Amino acid sequence: MTTEVLEAVETPPGPFKEEPAPTPKVLVKSYGCQMNVYDATRMADLLGREGYAETQSEEDADLVILNTCHIREKAAEKIYSELGKLAIAKRELNARGRDMKIVVAGCVAQAEGEEVLKRQRAVDLVVGPQSYHRLPELLRRAESGARVADTDFAVEDKFRALPAPSRAQIRARGVSAFVTVQEGCDKFCSFCVVPYTRGAESSRPVAEIVAETRRLVDAGVCEVTLIGQNVNAYRGPDAQGRETTLAQILELLARIEGLTRLRYTTSHPVDMGQALIDAHAAIPKLMPYVHLPVQSGSDRILKAMNRRHDAQAYLSIAESLRKARPDVALSSDFIVGFPGETDADFEATMALVRAVGFASSFSFKYSARPGTPAADRPDQIEEHVKSERLAALQALLDEQRRAFNDATVGRKVDVLFEKPGRHEGQIAGKSPYMQAVHAEGSIEHIGREVSVEIVAAGSNSLSARLMSEEAKA
């Protein structure tokens, strides 16, 4: 082995070249509802125009945004726990000469903006869900050393102020996308903070929704879910200023070539009119899956919750949906242990669940949210009672979910494949009923609806066999 020694050659100095500044990176962590997921992508789009690149690592991030949920106490406390960890990471990075900025966005920011700044000194900025389109301006203020809180409800139209995502950004996020059509809530359920954090119900104009959906489809998206706090309360204006319903906007979007699937969430029973029910029979692209929260099966508790419907009204809606679309599947939300809930009230909820039969559902113990009417009631339910009732309800709901999944074995369904599976040669996607499905197949099927036969039902997903190597575009 020989070692060659090279003589250093001195080169004459050239003109000084300044090193380009490194690209700043942003990590957006989203909690809670689909609206927050949508908002997180729009924040990333907005900051992309400001020169930020997305990252999934806190270690690489120059800016960390926690897009928060305030619907339950545990959700809010989880944010403060996360902020504690970020504060440590921020100190360590600062010691190495890196300046990390921390932003709290979303509903916790809206409800507890000043409290967030007081409880965690590492936070540079809090911004509510109606103000995040002003992020670049707010961040410039934070760069000067100010700690900023912007939780006003914006006068200007947030959606018009946000830039459209690029084709590359859309493609990177996959073949399914959310489109916000409605925000806010006027229902004022006695347990809920949404009217206080998201504001009054407002609907986007039809033209904006159609244009956004076309951009998504042109970039390769084939499944769009329309979202809103009360999505079926949508009443957006058309080009002539006429009020448009959710059923009408679904019909318009279904005409877009290349869009193969439509969904909507989350609905309120009070706004579930016959026109929307009929849309499930009339629009083949509208998936046979409806998430319709009921919260309780007790008329007494529903009245105390200010839900504005009773159990029979909910059962009638379920019956009408199944008449319009016999293969429709339902999911719902439930709260157990609402103040004043008796054993008889809880049994009424169990009876409603047995009567409807749900494909899947979300269930929670009642969580008192400061500022809501229910939080001040003196008849709060003891924690152990809530836990017992939740366990019983979840056991029944899980039994129904497993029965629904088992019933799909042997059926032929169309699956939208979205990504490679966990194992080589496997692809994964969703059934029309939001079930996770995996099958052996080529990655060329990703982004397409493929006819499959369900061959097995696991605890959390279905196994399928492709019916043909020819996939429907």
Side-chain angles (χ1 to χ4, degrees):
M1 179 177 178
T2 61
T3 302
E4 184 177 1
V5 178
L6 299 178
E7 185 176 352
V9 178
E10 188 174 323
T11 56
F16 175 74
K17 291 185 179 180
E18 186 177 342
E19 288 291 325
T23 301
K25 295 182 180 179
V26 58
L27 168 62
V28 186
K29 299 179 74 171
S30 197
Y31 305 81
C33 66
Q34 291 96 333
M35 186 77 78
N36 270 13
V37 176
Y38 175 87
D39 287 347
T41 62
R42 300 313 306 271
M43 282 187 260
D45 295 341
L46 179 63
L47 292 169
R49 297 296 177 94
E50 297 291 313
Y52 283 86
E54 289 187 69
T55 180
Q56 300 302 313
S57 168
E58 291 175 8
E59 184 71 21
D60 293 338
D62 302 284
L63 173 63
V64 177
I65 301 175
L66 302 186
N67 193 31
T68 60
C69 174
H70 199 252
I71 202 72
R72 288 181 300 281
E73 183 180 11
K74 283 187 177 180
E77 287 305 317
K78 184 176 181 179
I79 299 305
Y80 286 112
S81 174
E82 184 71 15
L83 285 173
K85 297 173 187 175
L86 282 174
I88 296 170
K90 180 175 182 175
R91 284 196 298 271
E92 291 175 350
L93 288 174
N94 287 351
R96 289 184 283 178
R98 282 265 311 280
D99 180 25
M100 174 197 279
K101 288 286 187 285
I102 299 175
V103 176
V104 177
C107 291
V108 170
Q110 185 68 41
E112 304 182 20
E114 294 296 338
E115 180 66 16
V116 171
L117 292 177
K118 288 177 185 176
R119 284 183 63 171
Q120 183 47 260
R121 299 294 302 174
V123 173
D124 300 283
L125 166 64
V126 293
V127 56
Q130 305 305 344
S131 305
Y132 68 76
H133 58 291
R134 295 201 288 261
L135 260 174
E137 169 200 338
L138 298 172
L139 284 168
R140 282 190 283 272
R141 287 168 56 189
E143 287 289 344
S144 68
R147 300 179 76 222
V148 184
D150 187 341
T151 55
D152 292 334
F153 287 107
V155 176
E156 67 266 35
D157 188 330
K158 173 177 70 177
F159 292 101
R160 289 178 183 173
L162 290 167
S166 69
R167 186 180 181 88
Q169 286 172 319
I170 294 170
R171 292 183 70 86
R173 290 170 186 151
V175 297
S176 296
F178 295 125
V179 173
T180 293
V181 300
Q182 179 272 344
E183 278 203 80
C185 182
D186 295 342
K187 301 299 187 289
F188 287 92
C189 295
S190 63
F191 55 83
C192 187
V193 296
V194 167
Y196 312 103
T197 58
R198 289 277 182 174
E201 289 178 359
S202 62
S203 299
R204 295 177 70 189
V206 171
E208 287 184 20
I209 296 166
V210 172
E212 183 174 344
T213 304
R214 285 191 185 280
R215 280 196 303 272
L216 292 168
V217 174
D218 288 346
V221 167
C222 48
E223 177 181 73
V224 165
T225 301
L226 306 184
I227 58 174
Q229 266 77 42
N230 285 320
V231 70
N232 55 345
Y234 176 80
R235 296 293 184 272
D238 67 8
Q240 287 73 45
R242 296 171 300 196
E243 190 176 87
T244 306
T245 65
L246 183 63
Q248 290 170 319
I249 197 77
L250 286 165
E251 185 179 350
L252 281 172
L253 297 180
R255 298 173 190 168
I256 297 176
E257 188 175 351
L259 180 64
T260 59
R261 287 182 166 190
L262 277 167
R263 302 182 187 273
Y264 61 90
T265 195
T266 291
S267 301
H268 194 291
V270 169
D271 295 309
M272 199 74 192
Q274 191 60 46
L276 184 54
I277 292 171
D278 291 342
H280 283 273
I283 303 174
K285 291 182 180 181
L286 183 55
M287 292 295 97
Y289 182 86
V290 179
H291 183 65
L292 188 62
V294 64
Q295 309 300 358
S296 174
S298 162
D299 289 346
R300 195 178 71 86
I301 295 300
L302 288 169
K303 184 175 181 180
M305 288 177 166
N306 195 35
R307 290 291 290 172
R308 307 186 193 184
H309 65 85
D310 58 20
Q312 185 54 52
Y314 189 91
L315 292 170
S316 296
I317 292 169
E319 182 180 359
S320 296
L321 280 166
R322 284 174 170 147
K323 184 177 179 181
R325 184 76 189 258
D327 63 337
V328 76
L330 297 176
S331 70
S332 195
D333 293 344
F334 296 90
I335 294 172
V336 301
F338 185 83
E341 183 185 68
T342 64
D343 288 342
D345 293 321
F346 175 67
E347 182 49 45
T349 296
M350 298 288 277
L352 182 140
V353 171
R354 295 187 190 99
V356 174
F358 292 98
S360 67
S361 283
F362 302 94
S363 51
F364 311 95
K365 292 186 285 187
Y366 168 75
S367 176
R369 308 312 295 130
T372 59
D376 296 328
R377 288 185 52 156
D379 49 354
Q380 302 291 324
I381 305 299
E382 293 183 18
E383 195 66 26
H384 74 91
V385 176
K386 292 183 192 178
S387 296
E388 290 169 4
R389 290 176 181 170
L390 182 64
L393 175 61
Q394 288 183 337
L396 177 57
L397 292 170
D398 189 57
E399 179 185 318
Q400 291 188 345
R401 180 184 62 83
R402 285 186 281 106
F404 180 81
N405 288 344
D406 288 345
T408 62
V409 175
R411 285 184 58 187
K412 297 175 179 62
V413 299
D414 288 339
V415 170
L416 174 60
F417 286 104
E418 300 172 306
K419 59 186 178 181
R422 292 183 179 180
H423 310 295
E424 188 174 350
Q426 191 181 76
I427 50 178
K430 289 197 303 283
S431 79
Y433 306 106
M434 295 295 287
Q435 298 153 301
V437 181
H438 60 266
E440 299 298 318
S442 167
I443 59 172
E444 293 178 359
H445 293 314
I446 293 173
R448 299 174 177 174
E449 264 195 323
V450 182
S451 183
V452 307
E453 180 185 5
I454 305 300
V455 296
S459 56
N460 296 306
S461 64
L462 305 177
S463 298
R465 176 178 60 85
L466 302 187
M467 297 298 296
S468 167
E469 284 301 314
E470 292 295 319
K472 295 189 300 179

